[in-house]
Amino acid sequence: MDKSFKAFVVNKSDENFSAEVRIMSTDDLPAGDVLIKVHYSSVNFKDGLASIPNGKIVRSYPFIPGIDLAGVVAHSTDPRFKVGDEVIATSYEIGVSHFGGFSEYARIPGDWIVPLPVGLTLKDAMIFGTAGLTAALSVDALENRGLTPESGKVLVTGATGGVGSIAVAILAKRGYHVVASTGKQTEHEFLKNLGAKEILSREEITGEKIKPLDQQLWAAAIDPVGGNTLAAILSKLQYGGSVAVSGLTGGTDLPTTVFPFILRGVSLLGIDSVYCPMETRLKVWNRMATDMNPAEKLELIKREISFPDLNKSLSEILQGQSRGRNVVVF
Ligand SMILES: NC(=O)c1ccc[n+]([C@@H]2O[C@H](COP(=O)([O-])OP(=O)(O)OC[C@H]3O[C@@H](n4cnc5c(N)ncnc54)[C@H](OP(=O)(O)O)[C@@H]3O)[C@@H](O)[C@H]2O)c1
């Protein structure tokens, strides 16, 4: 089957870099068992990096970025998937070394595909996307360590971003007292509408100086920011508290000491959505459709965009200016 379709293609040769919509053919797509008619994709921080010349994400050019996609099976040689099935595919090599979701068609190995769980639409799945899966994996990891709403307050950093906003909405739905930290003065109402009970500025998290141990403020934290923010969180967690760390928008260094770990039994939980095993992925996607589904709050989090808006959206997410989740509609 040879079909032409539109895709957002980045290309780099010598000094030249381009990021534009092109007409492609299904013959141009990489090998895979399942051809998917993509209905929705979404914009993640990694896609921002894939859309600039030195983002160090894309392995070879020309390339179709987009680490997330949701759509309907158009052709399949994998017995687990048949024509008409609604499916989700996120991460693994998608949008990094395997043509991704900013495309009307994608061909994906069956092992990377999640059947759309009952209770979610394809659009819901992309409002969540990789950022939402990461938020849900973070909540799941904290709860696996015993966190309950009775444990105490839970901090979410980078709260207006993709991971942060979904984490706020999931935690609020599950009855937690959510403290949201943001650098955006203008978005306090947005965070309250998602269910945050308290809002702190970024500076209030780090303070003037990060002490090895500080006041014990939070039972747990979800941190997609990292850097000094993570160091400050470690020093302010309650005895036995945990922080689920997933990101680096605030930096990659971690200027901390061993004291929170050896004197307060604090745990640092690493969250990876890219090679997260399929068994965990299926379990957590099913939780996102049920007990972790913030339902109508997803509408507050999403902004719908299309091909012509992609370059602007990708640049906003790199500048930390994005709010919630941008869903690409095809
Ligand atoms: N481990 C994984 O599997 C995984 C999966 C998805 C994402 N990530 C990573 O998680 C991070 C967040 O991803 P995302 O999709 O949520 O991105 P995003 O939508 O851009 O959100 C990041 C948020 O971080 C805050 N921020 C930005 N610059 C900051 C700075 N210099 N200092 C402190 N806070 C800053 C901003 O929120 P406020 O303005 O509200 O403070 C921003 O909206 C990225 O590093 C991404 O690569 C990791």
Side-chain angles (χ1 to χ4, degrees):
M1 181 172 97
D2 173 19
K3 217 172 177 2
S4 60
F5 61 89
K6 280 195 241 167
F8 179 84
V9 178
V10 291
N11 199 12
K12 187 173 158 182
S13 57
D14 304 324
E15 296 299 292
N16 298 319
F17 183 84
S18 62
E20 63 194 3
V21 177
R22 285 194 196 169
I23 302 295
M24 305 281 282
S25 152
T26 46
D27 284 348
D28 300 326
L29 292 173
D33 322 300
V34 185
L35 181 69
I36 300 169
K37 169 78 186 77
V38 181
H39 287 218
Y40 302 98
S41 181
S42 80
V43 176
N44 290 278
F45 192 77
K46 209 167 167 181
D47 302 321
L49 294 174
S51 71
I52 55 174
N54 298 312
K56 297 190 170 65
I57 292 291
V58 175
R59 309 269 166 77
S60 68
Y61 295 93
F63 189 72
I64 304 176
I67 64 171
D68 287 347
L69 62 96
V72 174
V73 174
H75 183 260
S76 171
T77 55
D78 184 322
R80 292 170 293 182
F81 303 101
K82 60 178 194 315
V83 172
D85 284 355
E86 294 185 306
V87 293
I88 307 166
T90 66
S91 299
Y92 293 101
E93 294 300 311
I94 301 167
V96 173
S97 64
H98 188 99
F99 280 6
F102 294 165
S103 177
E104 291 173 334
Y105 278 87
R107 195 180 285 120
I108 303 289
D111 285 347
W112 298 353
I113 296 176
V114 169
L116 184 73
V118 174
L120 290 184
T121 63
L122 290 172
K123 196 199 283 182
D124 292 340
M126 285 297 100
I127 301 174
F128 278 121
T130 285
L133 175 61
T134 304
L137 285 167
S138 303
V139 177
D140 190 63
L142 293 171
E143 291 185 342
N144 289 342
R145 299 239 358 138
L147 184 73
T148 67
E150 289 68 45
S151 308
K153 298 178 180 181
V154 181
L155 174 72
V156 177
T157 63
T160 67
V163 176
S165 59
I166 298 204
V168 170
I170 292 177
L171 288 166
K173 180 209 154 89
R174 295 188 57 66
Y176 289 93
H177 181 115
V178 182
V179 180
S181 154
T182 182
K184 300 188 187 82
Q185 283 284 338
T186 50
E187 298 296 352
H188 290 197
E189 205 52 36
F190 169 65
L191 292 170
K192 286 194 178 140
N193 287 337
L194 294 185
K197 290 262 171 37
E198 296 174 49
I199 317 264
L200 300 177
S201 68
R202 289 181 196 168
E203 295 70 32
E204 283 173 285
I205 303 296
T206 45
E208 280 185 9
K209 185 170 184 295
I210 300 168
K211 300 177 188 162
L213 291 173
D214 208 326
Q215 265 188 308
Q216 301 185 39
L217 299 178
W218 311 295
I222 292 181
D223 180 35
V225 169
N228 284 342
T229 301
L230 178 56
I233 292 169
L234 287 166
S235 74
K236 295 180 184 181
L237 282 176
Q238 288 171 14
Y239 189 93
S242 302
V243 50
V245 60
S246 57
L248 43 70
T249 47
T252 52
D253 289 346
L254 179 52
T256 189
T257 70
V258 296
F259 292 121
F261 307 104
I262 65 172
L263 297 181
R264 289 191 182 158
V266 158
S267 296
L268 181 53
L269 310 178
I271 304 298
D272 171 53
S273 63
V274 179
Y275 294 109
C276 160
M278 189 47 89
E279 193 187 344
T280 310
R281 212 175 266 254
L282 291 171
K283 184 192 96 177
V284 171
W285 269 108
N286 277 304
R287 289 198 69 187
M288 288 150 77
T290 54
D291 66 312
M292 280 197 195
N293 186 352
E296 72 282 359
K297 303 286 185 203
L298 291 178
E299 282 300 307
L300 299 179
I301 289 170
K302 75 122 213 282
R303 179 167 69 126
E304 290 186 24
I305 63 166
S306 54
F307 275 132
D309 314 306
L310 253 177
N311 269 318
K312 183 163 180 277
S313 169
L314 289 161
S315 139
E316 277 171 3
I317 203 162
L318 284 179
Q319 291 161 20
Q321 293 307 319
S322 197
R323 184 187 98 167
R325 299 272 301 140
N326 283 354
V327 172
V328 193
V329 184
F330 298 108

